[in-house]
């Protein structure tokens, strides 16, 4: 049995996982990804759910796009985002199973309505 090939494959899997976790290290990006697990969204729709400022949201979407986590399509003046990787959908299922996505959305929504969050807090 050739363990060299198995070691290389294992190392590649760990490297890919580390890259994905690095991209998802920002809580705002996890919120975006969890929302995109539900359906494709444009920037305005994501902004209403995720909160923060439009420039900050665009920054996070650009990082997710460059990492290959999300894909985008233009429809007129609007740009729609959707998940580009099934492995990210599996993480969303884990978050939802733990109730993390729902609790985060509820807390973020309540804080935003109360005016407790400033855009810089979403970094």
């Amino acid at each position: 049995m050739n363990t060299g090939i198995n070691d290389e494959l294992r190392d590649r899997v760990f490297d890919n996982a580390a890259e994905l976790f690095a991209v998802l290290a920002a809580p705002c990006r996890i919120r975006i990804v969890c929302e995109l697990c539900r359906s494709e969204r444009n920037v305005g729709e994501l902004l209403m759910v995720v909160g923060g400022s439009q420039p900050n949201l665009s920054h996070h979407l650009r990082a997710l796009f460059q990492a290959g986590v999300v894909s985008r399509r233009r429809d007129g003046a609007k740009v729609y985002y959707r998940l580009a990787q099934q492995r990210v959908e599996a993480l969303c299922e884990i978050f939802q199973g733990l109730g993390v996505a729902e609790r985060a959305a509820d807390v973020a929504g309540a804080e935003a309505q109360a005016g407790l969050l400033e855009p810089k807090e979403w970094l």
Side-chain angles (χ1 to χ4, degrees), residues 109-117:
E111 289 175 341
Q113 284 181 343
L116 299 176
L117 291 182

Side-chain angles (χ1 to χ4, degrees), residues 81-92:
Y81 290 86
R82 64 186 169 280
L83 292 182
Q85 299 180 2
Q86 285 184 311
R87 63 185 178 154
V88 177
E89 289 180 28
L91 286 175
C92 287

Side-chain angles (χ1 to χ4, degrees), residues 42-72:
N42 66 42
V43 174
E45 293 167 337
L46 284 169
L47 194 56
M48 288 190 314
V49 176
V50 174
S53 68
Q54 188 275 326
N56 188 42
L57 180 67
S58 292
H59 165 78
H60 288 296
L61 285 167
R62 185 173 31 260
L64 291 167
F65 175 75
Q66 290 173 341
V69 174
V70 301
S71 60
R72 60 186 178 197

Side-chain angles (χ1 to χ4, degrees), residues 31 50-52 103-118 121-122:
R31 288 183 188 101
V50 174
R103 283 194 302 258
D106 291 345
V107 169
E111 289 175 341
Q113 284 181 343
L116 299 176
L117 291 182
E118 295 181 17
E121 293 183 71
W122 285 89

Side-chain angles (χ1 to χ4, degrees), residues 1-2 9 11 23 30 40 43 61 76 89 110-111:
M1 186 185 327
N2 190 346
L9 290 174
D11 290 345
V23 170
I30 295 173
E40 179 182 73
V43 174
L61 285 167
E89 289 180 28
E111 289 175 341

